[in-house]
Amino acid sequence: MPLFLRWLGVLVLTATWICCAQPAQVSALDEPEPFCSASVALTMGRVHTPLTAEYIWTARDAAVLTEPSELSRIKRADWKVEPHFFRKTFTLATVPAQAALYIAGPRSARVWLNGQLAATLHFNGSPHMGFATMTANVAPFLRTGSNLIAIDAVRGYGSHHHTNSLQTRWLNSGEVLVIEILPAAEGIAATPLLQSNGAWRSTTNAVAGWQLAGFDDAAWNPVTSLGAIESDIDFFQWNADAGMYAWPGYFGEAPYMANCLLPPVATTQTPDGLLFDFGRELNGRLLLTAKAQDLHATIRIGESVGELQHASFLGDLPLEVPAGQTARGPKAGFRYALVENARDATVSAESIFYPAQATGSFRSSDARLNRIWQTAVDTAHLSMQDSILDGIKRDRGRWIGDDEVIHRVVADIYGDPRLVRAGLEDAIGTAAVTGPVNGLPGYSAWWVISEFEYVQRWGDLDQLRSVQSRMVQLLALMERDLDARHLYAARDGGKPFVDWSPGLSSDSPESRRAVHFEYLFAFRRAAALLRFTGDSAGATHFDALANAMNSAAQANLIDPTGAFGDRWQTNAIAVLAGAVQTGAQREAVWRVLARTVTTRKPYDIITPYYGSYLLSAMAALGHREEALAWMRAYWGGMLDAGATSFWEAWDPAWAGPDPHARLQADDKVGYYASLSHGWSSGPAAWLIEQVLGITPLELGYRRIQVRPDLAGLQWAQGAIATPRGPVRVKATTQRIAVNLPAGITAEVLLAAGRWICNGRGVEGNSAANDDRIRTTWNQPETLDCVRQTP
């Protein structure tokens, strides 16, 4: 009987305690890096030498090269299942007492050594794992001197994802083979006797005797090598390498990543094994260390107890642990683990994290907001892996719409451009642009918007010039999506996804209306980007196009109430795109958005992803206090439901004993949803930008605006990371203090009234369209402004 079925009967007795087990006694507010210290972390580049075995395949045969449009058929059991044949000779000075063969990539393989059938290997498939590491003892088949290995293999099961990375798509197609023979017992790393590399030969048309030493394979072509298995971070995306966890010595991490060990905070005995709770969501692996005996364990990991019980994303996985050795499970996001046959093993988790120093911060008089801010930061940090990967349990991939939110948090908190820059490059791809980013037209718009935000924050014009030609190609594709009225019409294909909400996750009139405003927003940002590079003609074109789209929206997309329909998402993005222009429109749109804090309608479902844009729209309409109220209720509701990082989807109606079972995302309901999704981290940036009021006005933060708005708070303080150093702000209703690094000029907007700044009365100008007084500051000492009572 499957492990999870045998466990059901006892879980009812233990789940109440387990689900409510408290994390380790560490305050998130006192521990901004909850697992490991970035300042003392040893990166992988200092502690691990990347493995050198290479992914190979038959030359000029992989579908990613020959049939890229057919990759959606990867999961079909009857597609491309003909055997592929591989051969290689190698020499041994001596025959080891033990020799373990490792193969990964195919679903099945037969291996001949020196003309004898040495192993017949099969992988029957696993949830969300396209291939697995298969192993066999081959010592009896080796000999001193020349040896021949011959393999026939059928491609792995594969999975299809919308990524522009050739390496990731190839690996996920299952059309790869990696091989090693190690002179050791199974599960123990050693110097290889044989590895796959570009010197192997392969064919799809073998004749009788092909596996024998006397066969002449001169007519066979050399294989195509994708490179060494740990040589490219694109091999670590989209769960492509999940099946490599049992490969000896495999980490699958970039050299700039860091690891640390975490003990469980609670352990519960069940009839089927030990259940471990690590206290909070982490990105990493489960580790088992055996003592005096070999372990043949089965592991299962999950983000909630309910997921472990009903639908663990990766399923039940075997883990072989030689005596005295440590074995690792696959990389994933999880909090809980069930281990069967652990006996006296030591069980821990290995957290994988990007060792960035947080320089941005936020604290206020509201403890609930402080906890929301820190949890949002933690959620974004969990997504900071080899690149920015959203959905650390499920997707583990670069979704550029999701990443736009994460990019802002990374910029404001860490000021580290590496992952943001790499994510933008990967999302648009290195070749000519022929389709929407991630296959989603709206995500093409978010790529442009995110590119603008990157350049604005870091002032990296060299990066902008390097992607400019591809950006223009992308913009041309987007322009083709418009009809003769300049309305978005999905003419160039792709699904107009907006949000996981009724009518907004597939092609519908409402999703087209929302994507129209995403495109409008993007074209305005594109005009600014082109102006940065001196392309005035291109800038003028996209300014005019944005204006035409705005006129089309005013003529065709407004409903009788004066709003752009009745949906939060559509009206929020219309505000951010600059389409809500008159006082009457602002009032009409606010009546829609105000339902977040008044009476909701049945379809008022929004994810934390688009909730971030809703917060920004509320602020743009002058309703920051209401935005804070909704943040406390919505993101705070996840905390009340037990969140230690913010979830992919949430609605207050889903609260209960097992909220994970009720989450709705990716057109599914239940445990498939992610409990750590970086697109949910928006409050971390919003509180700095809207409450402390720190935003850039010129490239690279040469000039900034500081406009504190306590929105009902008694006090708030914090900092934003910039390329020039942190900008720090402290604010109460009666006092504002601003500290700048060298090279930054700040326009400080003070609330109307009489102020004394550094002992002198403010001589500022009234800020246009704002009940504020403007003063300018660019000195290294603190600007200290005190409001005078009448």
Side-chain angles (χ1 to χ4, degrees):
M1 181 182 294
L3 182 62
F4 79 90
L5 290 177
R6 289 187 279 120
W7 190 41
L8 287 178
V10 301
L11 189 72
V12 175
L13 300 177
T14 60
T16 300
W17 180 85
I18 297 166
C19 77
C20 302
Q22 296 300 308
Q25 297 302 305
V26 175
S27 167
L29 297 181
D30 297 332
E31 186 96 5
E33 294 161 326
F35 297 141
C36 303
S37 170
S39 61
V40 299
L42 289 176
T43 59
M44 290 300 295
R46 296 175 62 187
V47 300
H48 174 63
T49 300
L51 302 182
T52 53
E54 298 175 13
Y55 290 119
I56 63 173
W57 197 244
T58 309
R60 296 183 295 279
D61 179 77
V64 72
L65 300 177
T66 62
E67 303 175 84
S69 63
E70 299 297 312
L71 284 179
S72 60
R73 302 169 64 191
I74 281 171
K75 293 186 179 181
R76 283 182 46 174
D78 60 347
W79 187 64
K80 295 204 73 175
V81 292
E82 68 281 357
H84 289 239
F85 305 91
F86 301 84
R87 282 171 55 98
K88 181 71 173 71
T89 59
F90 60 103
T91 301
L92 297 179
T94 60
V95 175
Q98 299 184 85
L101 167 76
Y102 297 90
I103 291 182
R107 71 186 68 183
S108 64
R110 292 185 297 170
V111 182
W112 286 265
L113 279 164
N114 300 315
Q116 298 183 69
L117 183 62
T120 300
L121 303 170
H122 295 279
F123 172 57
N124 294 323
S126 176
H128 314 293
M129 190 179 290
F131 60 79
T133 299
M134 302 179 287
T135 185
N137 174 25
V138 295
F141 303 96
L142 299 175
R143 63 192 183 197
T144 302
S146 180
N147 289 259
L148 170 74
I149 186 170
I151 301 170
D152 73 3
V154 176
R155 74 165 182 93
Y157 295 98
S159 58
H160 178 54
H161 296 283
H162 289 292
T163 171
N164 286 332
S165 166
L166 175 66
Q167 302 291 74
T168 306
R169 285 184 287 129
W170 197 330
L171 194 59
N172 265 322
S173 74
E175 293 189 285
V176 294
L177 174 70
V178 57
I179 306 155
E180 275 190 339
I181 297 178
L182 303 183
E186 293 180 21
I188 298 178
T191 301
L193 303 174
L194 169 73
Q195 290 181 314
S196 49
N197 56 36
W200 285 55
R201 290 184 173 271
S202 178
T203 187
T204 56
N205 298 298
V207 298
W210 68 274
Q211 70 272 52
L212 302 178
F215 178 79
D216 182 3
D217 60 13
W220 291 22
N221 290 318
V223 296
T224 295
S225 172
L226 282 70
I229 58 178
E230 292 187 304
S231 65
D232 192 327
I233 64 171
D234 285 355
F235 292 146
F236 313 150
Q237 318 295 318
W238 301 103
N239 273 314
D241 68 334
M244 294 296 292
Y245 74 89
W247 197 274
Y250 184 81
F251 281 83
E253 298 177 40
Y256 45 78
M257 297 303 294
N259 296 358
C260 71
L261 293 182
L262 304 171
V265 301
T267 304
T268 303
Q269 178 70 56
T270 78
D272 294 301
L274 289 173
L275 180 64
F276 299 92
D277 176 8
F278 293 96
R280 61 192 303 163
E281 180 89 12
L282 63 98
N283 178 85
R285 291 174 279 245
L286 189 70
L287 266 62
L288 269 63
T289 301
K291 295 184 180 178
Q293 295 180 320
D294 294 347
L295 294 181
H296 308 285
T298 299
I299 65 171
R300 187 192 305 164
I301 55 178
E303 295 184 305
S304 68
V305 170
E307 182 188 342
L308 275 186
Q309 177 185 2
H310 298 292
S312 174
F313 183 73
L314 291 174
D316 291 340
L317 302 170
L319 194 62
E320 303 295 324
V321 193
Q325 301 291 314
T326 296
R328 291 170 165 81
K331 295 174 293 185
F334 66 98
R335 172 176 172 173
Y336 299 95
L338 180 71
V339 182
E340 184 180 25
N341 297 329
R343 291 199 294 275
D344 60 349
T346 299
V347 178
S348 59
E350 184 175 53
S351 173
I352 304 171
F353 69 104
Y354 185 78
Q357 294 278 8
T359 56
S361 61
F362 177 84
R363 292 293 181 273
S364 74
S365 55
D366 188 322
R368 187 170 178 85
L369 288 181
N370 296 342
R371 189 177 170 206
I372 289 170
W373 183 87
Q374 186 61 61
T375 305
V377 172
D378 293 343
T379 304
H381 192 232
L382 285 169
S383 294
M384 295 172 68
Q385 296 297 311
D386 311 285
S387 56
I388 291 177
L389 308 182
D390 208 11
I392 57 174
K393 171 188 76 175
R394 188 189 70 225
D395 296 1
R396 297 190 65 82
R398 301 162 173 141
W399 288 109
I400 196 62
D402 311 28
D403 290 355
E404 189 278 333
V405 178
I406 308 169
H407 287 177
R408 287 187 283 115
V409 178
V410 171
D412 288 359
I413 308 305
Y414 298 102
D416 187 331
R418 183 202 331 237
L419 300 184
V420 177
R421 182 174 58 238
L424 289 165
E425 178 68 25
D426 175 82
I428 199 168
T430 58
V433 179
T434 59
V437 175
N438 290 129
L440 302 174
Y443 276 29
S444 295
W446 287 117
W447 185 93
V448 176
I449 296 163
S450 193
E451 172 69 15
F452 171 84
E453 291 165 347
Y454 169 80
V455 174
Q456 183 188 48
R457 281 171 162 82
W458 279 286
D460 191 351
L461 293 177
D462 288 340
Q463 183 274 348
L464 173 58
R465 293 185 184 99
S466 75
V467 300
Q468 183 173 351
S469 63
R470 286 168 285 159
M471 179 181 75
V472 171
Q473 293 169 359
L474 179 64
L475 291 166
L477 290 178
M478 293 169 62
E479 191 170 353
R480 291 211 305 257
D481 270 333
L482 308 183
D483 64 16
R485 298 173 296 169
H486 293 100
L487 291 172
Y488 173 78
R491 296 176 62 196
D492 207 37
K495 181 174 77 170
F497 169 81
V498 177
D499 196 17
W500 298 128
S501 183
L504 288 169
S505 62
S506 59
D507 194 355
S508 70
E510 191 61 43
S511 65
R512 290 191 180 197
R513 176 156 49 179
V515 172
H516 177 91
F517 292 113
E518 292 177 341
Y519 270 39
L520 170 55
F521 193 5
F523 288 144
R524 292 201 189 282
R525 293 307 195 211
L529 287 167
L530 292 171
R531 199 167 284 114
F532 293 155
T533 66
D535 183 358
S536 57
T540 299
H541 172 78
F542 286 105
D543 272 335
L545 185 58
N547 290 336
M549 290 188 71
N550 185 51
S551 296
Q554 305 298 330
N556 297 280
L557 301 182
I558 293 179
D559 69 11
T561 71
F564 291 103
D566 200 33
R567 300 299 297 275
W568 290 341
Q569 291 89 336
T570 307
N571 282 279
I573 192 61
V575 171
L576 300 184
V580 178
Q581 299 170 323
T582 68
Q585 279 186 331
R586 292 168 66 89
E587 292 177 6
V589 167
W590 173 243
R591 284 193 293 271
V592 176
L593 303 189
R595 291 203 308 269
T596 56
V597 289
T598 57
T599 303
R600 300 174 60 212
K601 296 192 175 182
Y603 49 74
D604 280 341
I605 293 175
I606 191 169
T607 68
Y609 161 53
Y610 238 84
S612 168
Y613 305 124
L614 180 53
L615 287 174
S616 295
M618 294 168 84
L621 294 175
H623 292 280
R624 290 180 181 84
E625 192 162 351
E626 292 88 343
L628 284 182
W630 184 61
M631 183 188 293
R632 292 183 188 98
Y634 184 82
W635 276 269
M638 283 185 270
L639 296 178
D640 295 341
T644 63
S645 55
F646 286 130
W647 303 342
E648 178 180 14
W650 173 243
D651 187 84
W654 302 337
D658 186 8
H660 199 180
R662 305 179 69 186
L663 299 190
Q664 299 175 21
D666 209 0
D667 295 326
K668 300 175 180 66
V669 178
Y671 303 110
Y672 188 78
S674 161
L675 295 191
S676 180
H677 229 66
W679 77 356
S680 304
S681 61
W686 193 93
L687 287 165
I688 290 174
E689 296 168 11
Q690 298 296 336
V691 174
L692 300 181
I694 312 170
T695 53
L697 296 177
E698 293 183 9
L699 297 185
Y701 284 91
R702 290 192 301 266
R703 191 172 187 87
I704 67 171
Q705 182 182 93
V706 179
R707 183 196 182 282
D709 187 340
L710 292 176
L713 298 172
Q714 295 174 6
W715 61 267
Q717 66 182 50
I720 192 169
T722 83
R724 302 168 191 274
V727 173
R728 306 183 190 279
V729 173
K730 294 182 179 180
T732 71
T733 57
Q734 300 300 316
R735 192 165 192 165
I736 306 293
V738 179
N739 184 267
L740 304 175
I744 292 182
T745 297
E747 291 187 3
V748 183
L749 303 186
L750 303 169
R754 182 168 173 265
W755 291 81
I756 301 294
C757 294
N758 290 10
R760 302 178 63 179
V762 173
E763 296 180 1
N765 301 315
S766 297
N769 301 317
D770 200 354
D771 188 20
R772 296 273 167 158
I773 297 172
R774 179 189 290 116
T775 188
T776 300
W777 187 252
N778 61 3
Q779 301 301 310
E781 64 264 23
T782 299
L783 175 69
D784 187 6
C785 297
V786 180
R787 192 174 191 174
Q788 304 300 295
T789 57

